[in-house]
Amino acid sequence: MTILITGGAGFIGSHLVDHLLNETNHRIRVLDDFSTGDATNLEHLDTDRLEVHTGDIRNAKTVSAAAEDVDFIYHLAAAVGVQNVVDNPLESLRINLRGTENVLEAAHADNIPTFIASSSEVYGKSEDLPFSETDDRVIGPTTVTRWGYTTAKATDEFLALSYHRKHDLPIVIGRYFNIVGPRQTGEYGMVIPTFVEQALTGEPLTVYGDGTQTRSFTHVADAVQVTHELLETPDAHGEVFNVGAPNPTSINDLAERVLEMTGSDSQISHVPFEEAFDENFEEPDRREPDVSKLESVLGWAPETDLDRILADVIEARSETRPGVT
Ligand code: NAD
């Protein structure tokens, strides 16, 4: 079998490549434009079962060529990260809308089962915790740029579900909740790699807002295991699943834990959201998945072990910055 992973040079995508190479005998084809992904995420892999295509998912011909003769598609390529989306709104929308439509069209041409990576951002600023897949979404106005990402991801879900309903295309949608682990970059606003880097270099840890906002963090190893199992479970096809671990942590507690685990004497510095982004910026206060649907279909769901996540991230960062502990 051959598997196509769009965004396979990225953070989650490269862990999915590792996982599928380890757990299956399949050949893996990666399609990535290396915009936020990095060749170093794949450089440890020395196997003829991996082929890497450099290309842009906005180009329909590129996508259909990459999907030729594949048996499964994992669609992870996207413009990701709040900072990235706020800085490049038009490009982000095009990648996340046109790119996904190209992938679904290529999948439909050969009826290829396809996983679509969505996001907990789809719930917007809903306060109805924990979030269940059929809950109402609460989204801010179109004048606030950050809501473009959630709107594009939700439209991707509508598209995928419509291909399923109209053409019986076997799709499954996973809404990732703050997936973290080694190889994630802090460059686009991700909190754990940012805090760990700041702690290891003695810089202040920048907490946006008052730090009481909570997030549910999920180890990338669990996320790729769930992703693999969902696409290979026919009962999951045509469905949407939260992919995350419950047990939310406040950003203040996270910062304290990073300081403890790194032994850093960095300070914690609170920065108003309007200063970090722009005056219209809005940030959802709390995020927590209801994982009962995932548990009922797979028989398990990830559990948060924040210390294990932090230990893995700290170890990986220390390896790339020897001498800095
Ligand atoms: P990432 O930025 O590391 O991965 C995205 C990959 O897509 C990168 O390798 C990038 O180079 C590639 N890419 C971007 N634009 C492309 C284009 N036009 N053509 C081809 N490739 C392109 O981010 P990630 O965290 O690994 O995210 C993977 C997926 O998971 C994304 O769809 C993202 O929206 C979703 N997601 C991630 C999280 C999280 O916590 N990391 C949360 C919610 C949703």
Side-chain angles (χ1 to χ4, degrees):
M1 280 198 189
T2 302
I3 314 287
L4 171 63
I5 305 180
T6 72
F11 161 55
I12 303 175
S14 65
H15 282 277
L16 185 61
V17 172
D18 287 346
H19 173 86
L20 291 172
L21 285 173
N22 287 335
E23 301 289 318
T24 72
N25 294 321
H26 306 331
R27 296 183 60 77
I28 311 295
R29 187 178 296 160
V30 163
L31 174 63
D32 204 298
D33 71 350
F34 296 91
S35 48
T36 55
D38 201 314
T40 57
N41 289 338
L42 301 172
E43 72 184 5
H44 60 287
L45 297 166
D46 180 18
T47 168
D48 60 6
R49 286 166 55 215
L50 173 66
E51 60 185 273
V52 178
H53 294 210
T54 302
D56 191 325
I57 55 166
R58 283 171 291 183
N59 185 321
K61 284 190 183 145
T62 302
V63 175
S64 66
E68 210 166 298
D69 300 324
V70 306
D71 298 282
F72 290 97
I73 300 175
Y74 294 89
H75 175 43
L76 275 69
V80 180
V82 171
Q83 189 71 57
N84 186 16
V85 169
V86 169
D87 290 347
N88 306 297
L90 186 56
E91 196 186 2
S92 300
L93 284 171
R94 287 191 171 137
I95 294 168
N96 295 348
L97 292 169
R98 197 174 294 168
T100 300
E101 190 169 6
N102 288 340
V103 169
L104 286 165
E105 197 47 37
H108 166 50
D110 282 321
N111 202 40
I112 306 165
T114 299
F115 175 91
I116 300 290
S118 185
S119 171
S120 60
E121 281 277 332
V122 163
Y123 295 102
K125 48 188 172 180
S126 168
E127 292 177 359
D128 186 13
L129 292 164
F131 299 150
S132 298
E133 289 83 351
T134 51
D135 282 354
D136 285 347
R137 307 168 50 232
V138 183
I139 308 302
T142 52
T143 45
V144 177
T145 314
R146 68 116 67 226
W147 300 118
Y149 175 71
T150 162
T151 301
K153 284 289 182 184
T155 306
D156 290 349
E157 292 194 14
F158 278 121
L159 271 172
L161 290 167
S162 301
Y163 271 92
H164 177 74
R165 287 179 192 130
K166 172 110 177 124
H167 302 297
D168 219 14
L169 180 68
I171 57 92
V172 58
I173 295 161
R175 290 182 182 161
Y176 290 136
F177 279 69
N178 287 76
I179 313 302
V180 283
R183 296 182 205 152
Q184 187 173 39
T185 160
E187 215 175 316
Y188 309 104
M190 311 307 186
V191 63
I192 287 187
T194 303
F195 281 180
V196 169
E197 186 68 24
Q198 289 168 331
L200 291 179
T201 52
E203 297 292 320
L205 274 60
T206 43
V207 172
Y208 298 141
D210 66 7
T212 56
Q213 67 272 29
T214 61
R215 292 294 178 271
S216 298
F217 296 102
T218 308
H219 199 294
V220 66
D222 288 337
V224 299
Q225 173 79 33
V226 167
T227 300
H228 178 202
E229 287 185 29
L230 279 177
L231 189 55
E232 296 204 350
T233 303
D235 280 353
H237 294 169
E239 299 286 339
V240 181
F241 293 88
N242 288 336
V243 179
N247 307 329
T249 307
S250 80
I251 302 302
N252 283 332
D253 287 349
L254 176 69
E256 295 287 356
R257 195 68 194 124
V258 170
L259 292 181
E260 276 166 29
M261 289 186 66
T262 52
S264 167
D265 47 19
S266 288
Q267 303 296 306
I268 294 177
S269 158
H270 288 88
V271 179
F273 283 112
E274 338 43 287
E275 212 174 280
F277 297 96
D278 65 44
E279 59 190 19
N280 287 326
F281 190 78
E282 294 182 72
E283 181 66 0
D285 206 30
R286 294 164 70 201
R287 292 259 171 83
E288 187 186 337
D290 175 341
V291 289
S292 50
K293 185 173 176 186
L294 191 64
E295 268 171 340
S296 73
V297 171
L298 297 188
W300 73 286
E303 286 177 17
T304 305
D305 183 344
L306 191 59
D307 281 2
R308 188 191 137 213
I309 294 172
L310 292 178
D312 283 359
V313 173
I314 292 164
E315 188 187 331
R317 284 281 151 149
S318 303
E319 276 167 11
T320 55
R321 301 177 60 88
V324 183
T325 52

